[in-house]
Amino acid sequence: MFLALREIRHQPSKFALAVAVVALVAYLTFFLDGLANGLASSYRTGIEQRDAAAVVITEDSNEQINASFLSRDQVEAGTGALAAQGVDELALVAGTARPVSGAASGETRSDLYVFGLDLGGFARPQVVEGRDVVDAADEVVVDDSLKRDGWGLGTVFQLVGSEHRWTVVGFTHDDTYTTAPMVFADRQAVLANTPNTLVPAVNALLVHHAASDEQTVPERTRQSLDDAGLQALSTQEFINTLSGYSAQVATFSLMVAALIVIAALVLAIFLYVLNLQKKPVFGIMKARGVPTNYLVRSGVVQAAVLSATGVLAGFALTAATSLVLPEQIPFRVMPGQYAAILAAFVLCSVIGGLISVRFVSRIDPAEAIA
Amino acid sequence: MSAGADRARRAAQDGAPVLELSGVSKQYRQGDETIDALHATDLTVRAGELVGVLGPSGSGKSTLLTVMGGLRTPSAGRVLLAGREITGLPEKERARRRHREMGFVLQDAGLVPYLRVTDQLALHDKVERTAADEARRAGLLEALGIADHRDKYPEELSGGERQRVAIATALYHDPQVVLADEPTAALDSGRAKVVARLLAEQTHERGRAAVMVTHDERLLPVCDRVLRMSDGALSPC
C-alpha cells in the first residue's frame, strides 16, 4: 500500500494517464452494457410485467408465438389442465396503427402489438395515466412510448386491415414487446376485430403461478398439454425464443467481455513498462532486504487502485451521459451487472499486475552494487 | 526485551566481532574460464570500527561487498553476522537479515526516487510492520544536518544531501553493520570528506560496525583501519 500510493502521489500525471485509459474503456463498457440492457429489456418488459410464470403455445409452432394458433379444443384442454395454477388466454396481433383523430392523425403510422387479454385478470395492464378500460368493445390502454408518436388520451386509431375504431383511455409504462409498444384490449374485442390479413385466434395461454419453485408446470400437467399438442415454456424460456433476443444478448455480452479484457491488457502492459523502468529501484530495495513479495504486493495494490479509480470515473461518465440521452434510446443501468463489471476490471488488472511478479523476482539484488 | 535494554546489551558488546569472514572466496565461470574474483579471505570487523577497503575498479571489492552483505553466496568459506552464519541461507532468509541487521549506503545514494526523505526511513517500518520511531528519525536527520529537507524528494536534493539521507536510512533501524559502496563517488572532494566523516562519526557514536568500499584515497584518514584490494586479494595497508 505504502509504496504503491507514494509512487502515485509522486507522479500523479503519469498515473492519471493510465486511469484515463481505463476510465474511457470502462465508460465504453458501461455505456454499451446500459444500451444492451435497455434494448434487451425493451424486448422483455411487456412479458415480464404480465405476472405469468409460464407461456403455453402449440407444439407445431416451433416455439414461435406468431406461428402458434390454438384451436378451441386446445384452449379448453389447456385451461382445464392449468386451472389450478390460474390461466388466461392471449390473442396477439402484430399491427400497424393509424390515428384518425387528435394531434397524431395524418400520415403517422405506428407499429405495435395488440395484446387481447382478460382485462380484469392477473395479466392486466397497470395504468399510470388516464383510467382502466370500461367499455371493453372500443377502449384500450397503451404503452406511454406511443406519446412520442403524438398519441394522447382520447386518441382514436384503426389498425391497418380493420375498420374498427379504438379509443386510448389510459397509458401504461415499460410495456414493450420486441421493442414495439403494446396495446391492451379485451380479448373478445380483439378476436372480433382482427385485421383481415390475420387469422383471429388465441395464440397462447399465460399461466399465472408456478406449480413449485422447481417446476413451473408439473409433469402430469405437461403430459396433458402434450396430449393436446401444446407445450409450456417458462417465461424466461419464452423470452429467449423471441426472434433476435438471444443472439443480441450473446453479442453484447461478448463485446462487453472483450472490452474488459482489452482494458485489462492495456493496463497490464502499462504497468509492465512502468516496472521495466523501475528495475534499478527494485534492485536497490531488494539489496536493502525489502522482500520480493512486499514489492509484488505493492504492484498488485497499485493495479487495483488504478483500475478501480478508472472504472469509477467511467461509471461517473456513464451516469452523466445517461442524463442527457434522448428518450428514444433505451438505456438501462443494472447495478448487479455494473458491480460485476467493476469486479471483472479490477480482477483482470490485478492478474495483469501479477505478470510483473516474475520480472521483479528475477532481479538480482547484487546488481545494485556490482 | 525493551529497545533501551537492547541498546544497552549492544553497547556492552562494543569491540566484539560483528562481521566475520573466514576463508571466503568467490569464483565465476565465464565460458570455459574460471575467474577468481575473490581469493580466500579472512576478515573481522568489530563494533564501533569503520574499515575502509581501497582498490581500483575490477579489483574485486564489489564482489567482497556483495558476499559480505549476503547478496551473493561465496564459493567457499563462511560469513557470520553477529555470530550467526548467513552463508547457505535461502535468499528470502538472507533478505530478512539484510533488512534487519544491515544498512546499505549505495553509489548515487540508492534512494527510492518516489519517496520523500522521511518516507525513505519509514519504508523500513512499513516492511517490518513496526511503528515509526519519530524521535529517532528526527534525531538522525538532525545529526546528519538534513532536518530541513525531510519533505523533499531525492531529485530535489544535492548529491551530498542525498548521501546523508542514505546514511540516515542505513542507520535508522540500528543495524549491526553498515556497508557503504563508493558512497562519495558522485561528490566533489570537499563534500566527499564531509560525508565520509559523518559516516565515521555515526559508526563510532552508535557503536556500530561499518565497511566502506572506495577507490578514493582521500577518505582513508577517517577510517579506523584500511585494507587494500588488488586482483581479488585483500591485504593490510
Side-chain angles (χ1 to χ4, degrees), chain A residues 30-41:
Chain A
F30 282 136
F31 195 61
L32 193 67
D33 191 65
L35 289 175
N37 283 324
L39 188 57
S41 60

PDB file of all heavy atoms in Angstrom, chain A residues 30-41:
ATOM      1  N   PHE A  30     -19.540   0.315 -19.789  1.00  0.00           N
ATOM      2  CA  PHE A  30     -20.787   0.587 -19.066  1.00  0.00           C
ATOM      3  C   PHE A  30     -21.869   1.078 -20.027  1.00  0.00           C
ATOM      4  O   PHE A  30     -23.024   0.689 -19.930  1.00  0.00           O
ATOM      5  CB  PHE A  30     -20.562   1.674 -18.007  1.00  0.00           C
ATOM      6  CG  PHE A  30     -19.876   1.172 -16.768  1.00  0.00           C
ATOM      7  CD1 PHE A  30     -18.850   1.897 -16.187  1.00  0.00           C
ATOM      8  CD2 PHE A  30     -20.271  -0.014 -16.166  1.00  0.00           C
ATOM      9  CE1 PHE A  30     -18.228   1.445 -15.038  1.00  0.00           C
ATOM     10  CE2 PHE A  30     -19.643  -0.471 -15.018  1.00  0.00           C
ATOM     11  CZ  PHE A  30     -18.627   0.265 -14.457  1.00  0.00           C
ATOM     12  N   PHE A  31     -21.453   1.932 -20.930  1.00  0.00           N
ATOM     13  CA  PHE A  31     -22.406   2.526 -21.846  1.00  0.00           C
ATOM     14  C   PHE A  31     -23.008   1.447 -22.739  1.00  0.00           C
ATOM     15  O   PHE A  31     -24.218   1.360 -22.921  1.00  0.00           O
ATOM     16  CB  PHE A  31     -21.694   3.593 -22.683  1.00  0.00           C
ATOM     17  CG  PHE A  31     -22.642   4.498 -23.407  1.00  0.00           C
ATOM     18  CD1 PHE A  31     -23.539   5.281 -22.705  1.00  0.00           C
ATOM     19  CD2 PHE A  31     -22.627   4.563 -24.775  1.00  0.00           C
ATOM     20  CE1 PHE A  31     -24.431   6.105 -23.365  1.00  0.00           C
ATOM     21  CE2 PHE A  31     -23.511   5.389 -25.443  1.00  0.00           C
ATOM     22  CZ  PHE A  31     -24.417   6.156 -24.741  1.00  0.00           C
ATOM     23  N   LEU A  32     -22.133   0.592 -23.261  1.00  0.00           N
ATOM     24  CA  LEU A  32     -22.585  -0.497 -24.109  1.00  0.00           C
ATOM     25  C   LEU A  32     -23.487  -1.428 -23.319  1.00  0.00           C
ATOM     26  O   LEU A  32     -24.528  -1.879 -23.807  1.00  0.00           O
ATOM     27  CB  LEU A  32     -21.361  -1.257 -24.630  1.00  0.00           C
ATOM     28  CG  LEU A  32     -21.616  -2.236 -25.760  1.00  0.00           C
ATOM     29  CD1 LEU A  32     -22.025  -1.477 -27.006  1.00  0.00           C
ATOM     30  CD2 LEU A  32     -20.372  -3.049 -26.029  1.00  0.00           C
ATOM     31  N   ASP A  33     -23.121  -1.703 -22.076  1.00  0.00           N
ATOM     32  CA  ASP A  33     -23.912  -2.585 -21.236  1.00  0.00           C
ATOM     33  C   ASP A  33     -25.287  -1.972 -20.968  1.00  0.00           C
ATOM     34  O   ASP A  33     -26.303  -2.666 -21.005  1.00  0.00           O
ATOM     35  CB  ASP A  33     -23.171  -2.843 -19.921  1.00  0.00           C
ATOM     36  CG  ASP A  33     -23.827  -3.953 -19.121  1.00  0.00           C
ATOM     37  OD1 ASP A  33     -23.825  -5.094 -19.609  1.00  0.00           O
ATOM     38  OD2 ASP A  33     -24.378  -3.676 -18.042  1.00  0.00           O
ATOM     39  N   GLY A  34     -25.291  -0.654 -20.734  1.00  0.00           N
ATOM     40  CA  GLY A  34     -26.563   0.035 -20.497  1.00  0.00           C
ATOM     41  C   GLY A  34     -27.466  -0.021 -21.721  1.00  0.00           C
ATOM     42  O   GLY A  34     -28.669  -0.265 -21.624  1.00  0.00           O
ATOM     43  N   LEU A  35     -26.850   0.180 -22.891  1.00  0.00           N
ATOM     44  CA  LEU A  35     -27.627   0.115 -24.134  1.00  0.00           C
ATOM     45  C   LEU A  35     -28.124  -1.309 -24.372  1.00  0.00           C
ATOM     46  O   LEU A  35     -29.275  -1.519 -24.771  1.00  0.00           O
ATOM     47  CB  LEU A  35     -26.754   0.544 -25.319  1.00  0.00           C
ATOM     48  CG  LEU A  35     -26.408   2.026 -25.401  1.00  0.00           C
ATOM     49  CD1 LEU A  35     -25.438   2.278 -26.549  1.00  0.00           C
ATOM     50  CD2 LEU A  35     -27.667   2.859 -25.586  1.00  0.00           C
ATOM     51  N   ALA A  36     -27.257  -2.284 -24.123  1.00  0.00           N
ATOM     52  CA  ALA A  36     -27.640  -3.679 -24.334  1.00  0.00           C
ATOM     53  C   ALA A  36     -28.799  -4.040 -23.415  1.00  0.00           C
ATOM     54  O   ALA A  36     -29.779  -4.669 -23.840  1.00  0.00           O
ATOM     55  CB  ALA A  36     -26.453  -4.601 -24.068  1.00  0.00           C
ATOM     56  N   ASN A  37     -28.704  -3.596 -22.149  1.00  0.00           N
ATOM     57  CA  ASN A  37     -29.786  -3.876 -21.203  1.00  0.00           C
ATOM     58  C   ASN A  37     -31.062  -3.157 -21.596  1.00  0.00           C
ATOM     59  O   ASN A  37     -32.158  -3.682 -21.455  1.00  0.00           O
ATOM     60  CB  ASN A  37     -29.384  -3.443 -19.788  1.00  0.00           C
ATOM     61  CG  ASN A  37     -28.433  -4.438 -19.165  1.00  0.00           C
ATOM     62  OD1 ASN A  37     -28.562  -5.632 -19.399  1.00  0.00           O
ATOM     63  ND2 ASN A  37     -27.477  -3.952 -18.409  1.00  0.00           N
ATOM     64  N   GLY A  38     -30.893  -1.922 -22.069  1.00  0.00           N
ATOM     65  CA  GLY A  38     -32.052  -1.154 -22.488  1.00  0.00           C
ATOM     66  C   GLY A  38     -32.765  -1.852 -23.629  1.00  0.00           C
ATOM     67  O   GLY A  38     -33.993  -2.025 -23.621  1.00  0.00           O
ATOM     68  N   LEU A  39     -31.968  -2.301 -24.604  1.00  0.00           N
ATOM     69  CA  LEU A  39     -32.537  -2.974 -25.767  1.00  0.00           C
ATOM     70  C   LEU A  39     -33.166  -4.296 -25.349  1.00  0.00           C
ATOM     71  O   LEU A  39     -34.299  -4.613 -25.725  1.00  0.00           O
ATOM     72  CB  LEU A  39     -31.430  -3.193 -26.806  1.00  0.00           C
ATOM     73  CG  LEU A  39     -31.878  -3.714 -28.158  1.00  0.00           C
ATOM     74  CD1 LEU A  39     -32.914  -2.780 -28.774  1.00  0.00           C
ATOM     75  CD2 LEU A  39     -30.695  -3.856 -29.097  1.00  0.00           C
ATOM     76  N   ALA A  40     -32.441  -5.057 -24.546  1.00  0.00           N
ATOM     77  CA  ALA A  40     -32.945  -6.367 -24.119  1.00  0.00           C
ATOM     78  C   ALA A  40     -34.233  -6.202 -23.324  1.00  0.00           C
ATOM     79  O   ALA A  40     -35.196  -6.949 -23.525  1.00  0.00           O
ATOM     80  CB  ALA A  40     -31.895  -7.102 -23.293  1.00  0.00           C
ATOM     81  N   SER A  41     -34.275  -5.194 -22.456  1.00  0.00           N
ATOM     82  CA  SER A  41     -35.488  -5.069 -21.647  1.00  0.00           C
ATOM     83  C   SER A  41     -36.654  -4.540 -22.478  1.00  0.00           C
ATOM     84  O   SER A  41     -37.797  -4.810 -22.158  1.00  0.00           O
ATOM     85  CB  SER A  41     -35.243  -4.229 -20.399  1.00  0.00           C
ATOM     86  OG  SER A  41     -34.836  -2.952 -20.768  1.00  0.00           O
TER      87      SER A  41
END
